[in-house]
Amino acid sequence: MIYIFIAAVVVYLARTLFMFVGAGKIRRKSIGQGEFEPSVCVLVPARNEEETIEQCLISLASSNYPKEKFEIIAIDDRSSDNTLSIMQKVAAKFDNIKVLSIKDEQQKQNLRGKAGALHFGAEVAKGEILLMTDADCIVNPEWIRTIAKNYEDEHIGLVASFTLVDGKRLFDIIQSVEWIYMNTMASAGVALNIPLGCYGNNLSVRRKVYEEIGGYKKIPFSVTEDLSLLKTVHNYGHSLHYVTDINGTVTTRPCKTFTEYISQHRRWAMGGLTLGWKAVVFVLSSLLMWIGIVASLFTANYIFAILLLLLRFMGDFSIIFPSAIKLKQNKLLKYIIPSILFFLIIELIIPFTLFSKKVHWKGQIFKG
């Protein structure tokens, strides 16, 4: 039992130290000046988003960035509701919003789903920098400026940033904490040159880099197209950056139901499997922790079980807390500990959802 306990402690401490050091390093890293203002195109793919697309486009059009230097391309991806007509209504009010509509499903394997919509927009984009967000997001007025200035460093090929979650229910707040937790871990990987993830609702890429890699037309299809883009840009030798700044955030809506939440995490988990050995190491670190806790309880070594739980809570808290403070999310601090308890339970559920390779997303079915 003592060996299991020691192994669990050592592995989890190593994981926590990796995340803590990496996230701290990138939080302190500042790139570019506010005076750097490249031309920008914001891509907004939308499929059946009639409830949110108007707010999203208005928030983008209201950005504090020279109007002549940014365009917004909203791509309707075969919606069956009023998404397209709402897009067109908003576009009529703003000169820099362009609406595209995909009428037929993209035939090529790599261009299915969201990746196909993004590539459809990227092909007509004029900006030096391609920013991407989702139709259910509201952007910070300083978002474009905060992200774009990082490209003053010519070595930077891709920049990601944090997503916040709007909502007042306890379930919404837990998701808010989780998004900060996941983005922090993703930022740590970028800082230490071991990309682990990013989120497509707050992502950007230099246009010439996107063209160099062949865009999504050349990137193998994945249910997590954002991670695929991140890995490809990194593999081509370009530098990455992850912004931890309230001005660089976008705000999304939480999952409304537990079923929707599990479906979302199942899709993320299936995409994460493409990380190979990195995914294995991450899963093993959590698995060892659970083996240690369960073994301690079965052998009546309750002190060991308590110590392992304390290690988990303290480790995850140390990762979430600094980012929450940096992003001025002090209201979430008292919810970190109960949220970690919720994450522990979810860790046990998600693996059992991965037996089927089919992923349901936006009324479509993909194979992971």
Side-chain angles (χ1 to χ4, degrees):
M1 177 60 223
I2 187 64
Y3 297 111
I4 296 176
F5 175 78
I6 292 173
V9 169
V10 170
V11 171
Y12 207 82
L13 277 176
R15 166 176 147 175
T16 300
L17 184 63
F18 175 91
M19 300 298 179
F20 184 81
V21 171
K25 178 180 178 181
I26 210 158
R27 272 194 299 268
R28 295 188 296 271
K29 189 174 182 179
S30 178
I31 300 176
Q33 301 298 320
E35 295 78 20
F36 181 68
E37 296 177 341
S39 60
V40 167
C41 176
V42 184
L43 302 175
V44 188
R47 179 176 170 86
N48 297 331
E49 299 284 3
E50 63 181 7
E51 293 184 8
T52 59
I53 187 61
E54 183 172 5
Q55 280 186 305
C56 175
L57 293 179
I58 290 174
S59 77
L60 284 166
S62 304
S63 296
N64 181 21
Y65 201 73
K67 302 301 181 187
E68 69 278 8
K69 290 190 175 182
F70 81 98
E71 64 174 344
I72 302 162
I73 297 182
I75 309 104
D76 174 57
D77 185 10
R78 297 163 291 122
S79 296
S80 58
D81 62 5
N82 296 315
T83 296
L84 179 58
S85 61
I86 294 172
M87 283 179 171
Q88 292 169 334
K89 181 187 74 172
V90 177
K93 300 177 182 178
F94 299 96
D95 294 336
N96 60 344
I97 297 181
K98 179 184 296 184
V99 175
L100 304 179
S101 180
I102 299 175
K103 299 299 182 183
D104 301 309
E105 184 174 2
Q106 300 289 296
Q107 296 300 313
K108 293 186 178 180
Q109 175 77 4
N110 293 0
L111 293 180
R112 292 176 295 153
K114 184 179 175 182
L118 287 168
H119 190 75
F120 194 71
E123 286 189 313
V124 299
K126 297 177 182 178
E128 301 168 61
I129 310 301
L130 302 177
L131 276 76
M132 306 170 199
T133 192
D134 287 347
D136 62 352
C137 292
I138 302 295
V139 306
N140 187 292
E142 297 290 334
W143 178 63
I144 294 178
R145 183 181 303 280
T146 303
I147 301 301
K149 72 176 184 178
N150 291 275
Y151 288 95
E152 185 173 6
D153 182 342
E154 295 183 355
H155 296 97
I156 296 289
L158 179 148
V159 177
S161 189
F162 279 65
T163 300
L164 305 178
V165 174
D166 184 31
K168 297 180 180 179
R169 302 176 303 167
L170 178 60
F171 187 38
D172 303 339
I173 294 169
I174 287 173
Q175 291 177 69
S176 299
V177 174
E178 184 177 35
W179 275 86
I180 291 176
Y181 181 41
M182 294 187 301
N183 272 276
T184 302
M185 291 192 290
S187 73
V190 167
L192 299 177
N193 204 34
I194 305 177
L196 300 173
C198 60
Y199 296 90
N201 55 16
N202 196 346
L203 189 61
S204 64
V205 63
R206 194 183 296 274
R207 183 183 172 187
K208 69 177 184 180
V209 170
Y210 184 81
E211 292 173 347
E212 176 191 346
I213 65 179
Y216 279 114
K217 185 181 291 186
K218 296 295 184 182
I219 299 174
F221 175 78
S222 171
V223 291
T224 50
E225 82 297 325
D226 39 21
L227 175 57
S228 293
L229 180 61
L230 177 80
K231 292 191 300 179
T232 304
V233 171
H234 178 257
N235 290 340
Y236 269 71
H238 299 285
S239 297
L240 313 173
H241 186 50
Y242 219 106
V243 176
T244 311
D245 185 329
I246 185 64
N247 289 328
T249 60
V250 305
T251 302
T252 190
R253 290 188 173 191
C255 294
K256 294 179 181 179
T257 66
F258 186 71
T259 300
E260 181 186 354
Y261 174 87
I262 291 297
S263 178
Q264 178 194 65
H265 283 62
R266 179 175 177 274
R267 181 171 62 86
W268 289 348
M270 292 192 71
L273 293 176
T274 64
L275 289 170
W277 68 266
K278 302 168 198 172
V280 172
V281 170
F282 189 85
V283 170
L284 283 178
S285 65
S286 295
L287 181 61
L288 263 177
M289 177 66 70
W290 272 109
I291 290 173
I293 292 171
V294 172
S296 298
L297 293 174
F298 269 102
T299 57
N301 287 292
Y302 302 118
I303 296 298
F304 282 178
I306 292 171
L307 288 175
L308 288 173
L309 283 171
L310 283 175
L311 174 62
R312 177 63 188 265
F313 282 111
M314 291 173 63
D316 287 1
F317 186 90
S318 71
I319 294 169
I320 299 167
F321 182 84
S323 291
I325 294 295
K326 177 76 172 178
L327 296 170
K328 301 179 181 179
Q329 299 300 299
N330 298 46
K331 62 184 178 181
L332 299 179
L333 299 182
K334 63 182 178 181
Y335 296 101
I336 294 178
I337 295 299
S339 295
I340 295 171
L341 179 60
F342 180 82
F343 305 157
L344 280 165
I345 297 170
I346 295 303
E347 275 184 7
L348 294 178
I349 297 175
I350 294 300
F352 294 100
T353 71
L354 300 179
F355 292 109
S356 171
K357 297 300 181 182
K358 290 183 179 180
V359 175
H360 295 259
W361 185 77
K362 300 287 183 180
Q364 303 170 92
I365 299 176
F366 305 106
K367 285 190 176 181

